[in-house]
Amino acid sequence: MDFQMIADSFAEPTCIISVEKDNDGGYRQIRIVAGNKLYINKIEDPMNQGVGKEITDGSEVPEFFRKSRTFVPNSPYEDYLPKEMGFEEVCFRAAVLKVPVHTYVHLNGLNIWFDIYAMPLSIEDGDICYCTYTVIATANSELMVSSASSGVYAENVIKTCIKLNGSDDLNGTMNDVIKDIRLLCRADVCTIALIDPETKEASILATSFGKDCKVKRVTQFNEFGDIAKTWIDMFGESDFIVAKDVDDMEYIRQRNVFWYNNLMAAGVDSLVMFPLRYDGVILGFMWATNFAVEDTIRIKETLELTTFFISSKLSNCRMMEHLKQISYTDQLTGISNRFACTELIESLIKRGEKFCIVSIDINNFKSINDSLGFDAGNRVLAKIASRWKKIAEKNLTATQDHIARMGGDEFQLVIQGYENDAAVIPTIKTYENALGNSLTIDGCDLYISASFGYCLYPDDAVTSDSLISSANASMNEIKRLKNSQHIMRFSPELLKEEHTLEIERKLIYALENDLLYFNLQPQFDLDHKLRGFEALARMKDSDGAVVSPGEFIPVAEKVGLVDKVDSAVFRRSAMFIGQVIRETGADIMLSVNISVRHLMKNDFLDEVKDILSSSGIPADHLEIEITESIMIDSAEKAQHCIEKLHKMGIQIAIDDFGTGYSSLSYLNNFPANILKIDKSFIDKMNTSDPSKQYVAAIISIGHIMGFEVVSEGVEEKEQLATLKLIGCDYIQGFIWGRPLSPEDAEKLIRESMAK
């Protein structure tokens, strides 16, 4: 094959590339087989015919491109170009995978762009595959944006430009941008780090972590600063690094084993990284780890353009020290921000120093915003921060303090240098007392108070996240109590209360957004004939995750929302079973749980009548379960309601029988139909003879009083055999039926009728 003739047929600088594929789906040697005159001139006379001639702004040409070389056909590409993983990826995709590639690079800090076209050739020689490679140099970056082959990626670059140009809040904007980039790359982590051009010290400007990300933060490594310094030398010949697999990571190991070891320890499998360079000076770096490697080319294109604009934005700041400062400083108040505070906490933990974290929340701050406006609210926060900053900077306490704003009206105080645990209280009180004098905003005197929750390292928690969570838990508790004391130390019991509050918030959200639903657990007689189903409450949170009923039901009972849960499950399950009965004629029972609170509501009977009417479920196919405790706590009040339900034809079941203290006289007076034996007795029935006798006694008493008996939680064959032996009527449990979705329950009903 005359490759030279193919190359000469192109009007732009073009060469023919060969790629040797291996048996593992990768590649080995990449060579430049031939090139037309325009391409070869760039190699043999670069300063007059190639790269140097295209630079018009006086930028210095790197040494690699100033050196003249004699082109030898079929030579390794590294003889003429810096080893470049991005270049190799393009050649591999075009030659081996037969995918046409159009991309572009901004190489070696020359302020010059290369528009690249790689086209596959059908020619193959054993393991050797071929493609054409055309490269067109231009100094016009706008051309690169307009020629982007993917509208989606070009759109993302434009969005980044708009964000960068439309905001003076560099720190906030960069956090937005880096999150957008992480989502675009489908990466675990994306980060922008700044490098001081004089000291070479590194600091994090913005970072974004995906949900459930397990990659370690760079700041968790003591040697992060030393690692960052090695990157500067690595980017002398290349403007980006892409490592998408084990082979690429091995290339990084060969070039920088120190960094490679850090990547392995952090849990990094893939990496794309660009320097933020302006006028030949590296301002910092942007990288994404564990990204969508299947989209490497387009991700590389987007990040290349994005770094170009980010670098321009950073260069507008007059001093790099200012950049470093704003990455650690809250722009509204001038004190440290969340990132700086978290970094301080992590550094203290690494050094093993004892310290105290105080979470602070301004009381009733929302009312200030609502009555005076957000601008006034911001001025209040700035004045509060100013008072606290003065205390910390002028050492007005006996301890070493660091105050930070975490966001909104939340602050955090880190206390060091105290002799004993009690010594932190005077310090916290100093910050509390600083709020004693009124603040004057727009002619209004405001009297501000705050809630202070604190925890100690290492006594109360040992990680930064758990320390902050613990301090927040104690702060939330002191706010909830609403008493004259505004300071509270963390105790483990508070996490339970915090968890309850979290579940309560999820429950309220579920009730308001229709996230409550039901499952149906089948009940059978001892011949395995389907009797019906018990409706069980289920719930999802705002993310769609299922919340265990063991978590939300007790909370619903505690906070007075259980009647709303009952109603939602009652109505929806009745509508479903009513429809199935109409369509199939099935003789099945629906059993629903009703709490004491729900049963005692004045409009409960009206609600039942409305559900019977709207669902069409026959009254004698509905069974209402009440707990045994109602016969003691609310017997007289409940009696009237239950009798009316019974007269309507509705069945009454006494749930969890045997766990309370009801007397036989109460049981005899209740118009019930069913006793349900609690699972706890069934579990012990075959391992404890007294438990077995107890179950047998309940069944016997139930039958004497005219009740049928359902045993709950039957899971084992031995339990089933025993219940048959002692005369139980019905069973409910995993042995014959787990809770089912409505669709699966309907399928079971139809299968049962077919038998």
Side-chain angles (χ1 to χ4, degrees):
M1 176 59 61
D2 191 346
F3 290 111
Q4 187 61 52
M5 183 180 70
I6 296 175
D8 289 340
S9 67
F10 282 78
E12 296 290 346
T14 302
C15 65
I16 308 299
I17 299 290
S18 71
V19 180
E20 181 184 10
K21 61 182 179 181
D22 62 26
N23 296 327
D24 297 324
Y27 60 92
R28 290 190 285 268
Q29 186 68 60
I30 297 178
R31 297 175 178 271
I32 301 179
V33 178
N36 63 13
K37 186 175 181 180
L38 291 173
Y39 189 89
I40 300 304
N41 282 345
K42 292 180 179 291
I43 293 174
E44 297 188 337
D45 192 9
M47 294 305 295
N48 293 320
Q49 302 293 331
V51 174
K53 192 175 182 65
E54 286 144 349
I55 298 175
T56 60
D57 63 353
S59 299
E60 182 179 357
V61 180
E63 176 64 27
F64 189 96
F65 288 104
R66 280 190 267 168
K67 184 178 180 181
S68 298
R69 298 170 175 83
T70 300
F71 177 70
V72 178
N74 208 35
S75 297
Y77 85 88
E78 297 98 320
D79 291 351
Y80 311 109
L81 300 170
K83 185 172 177 60
E84 168 63 61
M85 284 182 283
F87 171 84
E88 293 180 2
E89 172 73 7
V90 169
C91 295
F92 171 75
R93 289 176 63 84
V96 177
L97 302 183
K98 306 301 182 187
V99 177
V101 177
H102 172 213
T103 185
Y104 41 83
V105 296
H106 183 234
L107 194 60
N108 297 297
L110 300 178
N111 292 327
I112 183 170
W113 293 83
F114 294 92
D115 204 1
I116 293 169
Y117 299 83
M119 302 298 295
L121 295 175
S122 60
I123 305 161
E124 290 190 6
D125 183 8
D127 291 333
I128 307 299
C129 305
Y130 298 87
C131 70
T132 65
Y133 188 91
T134 302
V135 54
I136 305 169
T138 176
N140 187 357
S141 61
E142 294 180 2
L143 178 63
M144 298 302 104
V145 177
S146 63
S147 64
S149 58
S150 169
V152 173
Y153 285 83
E155 180 183 348
N156 280 286
V157 174
I158 292 169
K159 287 180 179 178
T160 298
C161 295
I162 293 172
K163 287 184 177 181
L164 290 171
N165 292 326
S167 173
D168 294 327
D169 179 9
L170 181 64
N171 187 254
T173 302
M174 289 302 180
N175 275 299
D176 287 344
V177 167
I178 204 66
K179 181 180 180 181
D180 291 345
I181 292 172
R182 180 181 62 76
L183 295 173
L184 176 71
C185 297
R186 303 197 298 283
D188 281 350
V189 186
C190 278
T191 303
I192 295 175
L194 299 178
I195 299 291
D196 189 312
E198 295 182 0
T199 66
K200 309 304 180 187
E201 294 297 322
S203 62
I204 302 299
L205 176 61
T207 189
S208 175
F209 281 75
K211 186 178 181 181
D212 301 325
C213 172
K214 293 182 172 58
V215 176
K216 291 184 178 179
R217 298 172 185 263
V218 292
T219 50
Q220 289 181 256
F221 294 90
N222 291 327
E223 64 274 20
F224 166 60
D226 296 330
I227 294 169
K229 291 176 183 178
T230 68
W231 297 338
I232 298 174
D233 295 332
M234 285 188 64
F235 284 91
E237 296 179 349
S238 174
D239 261 276
F240 68 96
I241 288 176
V242 176
K244 62 186 184 304
D245 52 30
V246 174
D247 292 338
D248 291 344
M249 295 300 284
E250 172 61 20
Y251 172 67
I252 289 179
R253 189 190 70 80
Q254 294 174 4
R255 293 187 63 185
N256 191 335
V257 68
F258 183 33
W259 183 29
Y260 171 85
N261 291 335
N262 171 266
L263 292 173
M264 294 300 100
V268 173
D269 300 320
S270 59
L271 168 81
V272 55
M273 186 179 204
F274 283 82
L276 300 169
R277 194 195 308 261
Y278 194 84
D279 282 343
V281 177
I282 291 180
L283 309 178
F285 298 91
M286 182 173 72
W287 67 87
T289 55
N290 297 353
F291 67 97
V293 296
E294 67 275 10
D295 210 8
T296 297
I297 294 295
R298 292 295 166 253
I299 288 173
K300 191 275 298 182
E301 286 182 355
T302 307
L303 265 61
E304 187 146 37
L305 282 168
T306 303
T307 55
F308 180 77
F309 294 114
I310 289 176
S311 298
S312 299
K313 180 69 174 180
L314 293 177
S315 69
N316 291 331
C317 296
R318 294 182 178 180
M319 299 176 62
M320 287 304 300
E321 184 58 33
H322 177 61
L323 277 177
K324 183 175 180 180
Q325 177 187 358
I326 65 173
S327 70
Y328 285 88
T329 303
D330 177 63
Q331 299 302 296
L332 174 65
T333 62
I335 63 176
S336 296
N337 61 15
R338 178 186 293 272
F339 179 79
C341 188
T342 303
E343 191 172 81
L344 171 62
I345 292 169
E346 290 175 350
S347 68
L348 292 175
I349 292 173
K350 289 176 184 176
R351 296 201 298 267
E353 296 183 19
K354 70 175 184 178
F355 62 95
C356 171
I357 290 183
V358 188
S359 284
I360 310 170
D361 189 85
I362 308 302
N363 295 330
N364 302 313
F365 184 74
K366 183 177 182 297
S367 64
I368 297 175
N369 279 337
D370 290 344
S371 59
L372 299 179
F374 287 101
D375 180 62
N378 285 340
R379 280 181 280 157
V380 169
L381 294 175
K383 287 193 174 186
I384 291 172
S386 176
R387 292 182 182 184
W388 286 343
K389 182 180 181 183
K390 180 180 178 181
I391 295 172
E393 291 183 348
K394 294 193 174 184
N395 300 316
L396 300 182
T397 66
T399 54
Q400 180 183 345
D401 311 333
H402 184 94
I403 188 70
R405 181 177 177 232
M406 305 301 281
D409 63 331
E410 296 179 5
F411 294 82
Q412 200 154 78
L413 175 65
V414 179
I415 304 173
Q416 303 167 249
Y418 51 89
E419 292 185 2
N420 54 62
D421 295 349
V424 302
I425 297 297
T427 293
I428 299 174
K429 283 187 175 296
T430 300
Y431 286 84
E432 181 187 18
N433 293 336
L435 300 176
N437 297 326
S438 64
L439 294 173
T440 302
I441 302 291
D442 294 339
C444 298
D445 290 336
L446 303 177
Y447 293 89
I448 307 295
S449 67
S451 298
F452 300 78
Y454 73 97
C455 68
L456 304 176
Y457 173 86
D459 304 59
D460 298 327
V462 294
T463 67
S464 60
D465 288 342
S466 60
L467 282 162
I468 294 171
S469 296
S470 299
N472 284 337
S474 54
M475 180 267 291
N476 288 331
E477 177 65 9
I478 200 71
K479 285 183 74 72
R480 186 186 69 82
L481 293 174
K482 296 181 180 178
N483 57 28
S484 59
Q485 296 297 318
H486 293 156
I487 301 173
M488 176 179 285
R489 180 177 174 178
F490 167 77
S491 64
E493 291 75 19
L494 292 177
L495 289 183
K496 297 178 182 178
E497 185 65 32
E498 186 78 7
H499 184 66
T500 298
L501 291 172
E502 179 186 359
I503 297 299
E504 181 182 353
R505 288 191 290 268
K506 290 183 178 181
L507 180 57
I508 292 172
Y509 184 88
L511 288 166
E512 292 176 346
N513 294 274
D514 201 26
L515 295 178
L516 275 170
Y517 62 104
F518 66 92
N519 280 170
L520 296 166
Q521 186 168 30
Q523 299 171 341
F524 298 90
D525 67 14
L526 273 295
D527 294 325
H528 206 177
K529 179 182 177 183
L530 181 66
R531 173 184 185 261
F533 300 88
E534 179 183 354
L536 303 173
R538 296 292 185 263
M539 186 181 94
K540 293 181 180 180
D541 63 17
S542 57
D543 295 325
V546 175
V547 181
S548 167
E551 286 191 301
F552 76 82
I553 294 295
V555 172
E557 292 172 342
K558 180 178 180 181
V559 301
L561 293 173
V562 69
D563 56 318
K564 296 185 182 298
V565 174
D566 288 350
S567 291
V569 173
F570 185 2
R571 185 172 296 276
R572 292 174 190 180
S573 60
M575 296 294 289
F576 170 75
I577 292 295
Q579 180 179 349
V580 172
I581 290 175
R582 288 195 301 275
E583 291 178 356
T584 66
D587 182 17
I588 54 172
M589 185 73 65
L590 172 65
S591 185
V592 294
N593 290 278
I594 298 297
S595 64
V596 176
R597 177 186 177 90
H598 194 186
L599 185 72
M600 302 307 293
K601 293 181 70 172
N602 293 334
D603 62 350
F604 177 67
L605 288 174
D606 292 334
E607 179 185 350
V608 173
K609 293 175 183 177
D610 179 62
I611 290 175
L612 288 175
S613 174
S614 59
S615 68
I617 186 171
D620 61 353
H621 285 63
L622 176 64
E623 182 174 271
I624 289 181
E625 294 188 18
I626 57 175
T627 59
E628 183 184 0
S629 62
I630 198 171
M631 294 187 292
I632 301 171
D633 301 333
S634 310
E636 294 182 5
K637 294 181 180 179
Q639 184 88 19
H640 178 69
C641 180
I642 292 173
E643 287 177 351
K644 287 197 172 185
L645 292 171
H646 201 264
K647 288 179 180 178
M648 292 165 61
I650 295 170
Q651 304 286 298
I652 303 296
I654 299 175
D655 195 18
D656 297 338
F657 187 80
T659 59
Y661 303 94
S662 59
S663 68
L664 293 181
S665 62
Y666 275 125
L667 187 61
N668 191 44
N669 291 330
F670 255 69
N673 308 91
I674 293 283
L675 293 183
K676 299 192 74 175
I677 303 176
D678 186 67
K679 181 181 185 297
S680 60
F681 298 114
I682 304 301
D683 289 341
K684 300 175 183 177
M685 188 174 58
N686 284 348
T687 59
S688 167
D689 190 60
S691 294
K692 177 180 177 181
Q693 296 301 324
Y694 188 71
V695 173
I698 294 175
I699 293 173
S700 178
I701 291 170
H703 287 167
I704 290 172
M705 294 186 170
F707 302 141
E708 293 183 303
V709 181
V710 177
S711 292
E712 296 183 294
V714 182
E715 298 178 354
E716 301 171 0
K717 292 181 180 179
E718 294 80 5
Q719 295 171 342
L720 181 61
T722 299
L723 292 170
K724 286 183 178 181
L725 183 65
I726 60 181
C728 186
D729 300 295
Y730 303 104
I731 68 160
Q732 178 178 332
F734 288 179
I735 189 170
W736 279 348
R738 292 176 176 270
L740 304 172
S741 67
E743 294 76 16
D744 289 337
E746 182 176 354
K747 182 179 178 182
L748 177 62
I749 293 169
R750 294 183 183 276
E751 290 175 351
S752 178
M753 293 183 67
K755 292 179 182 179

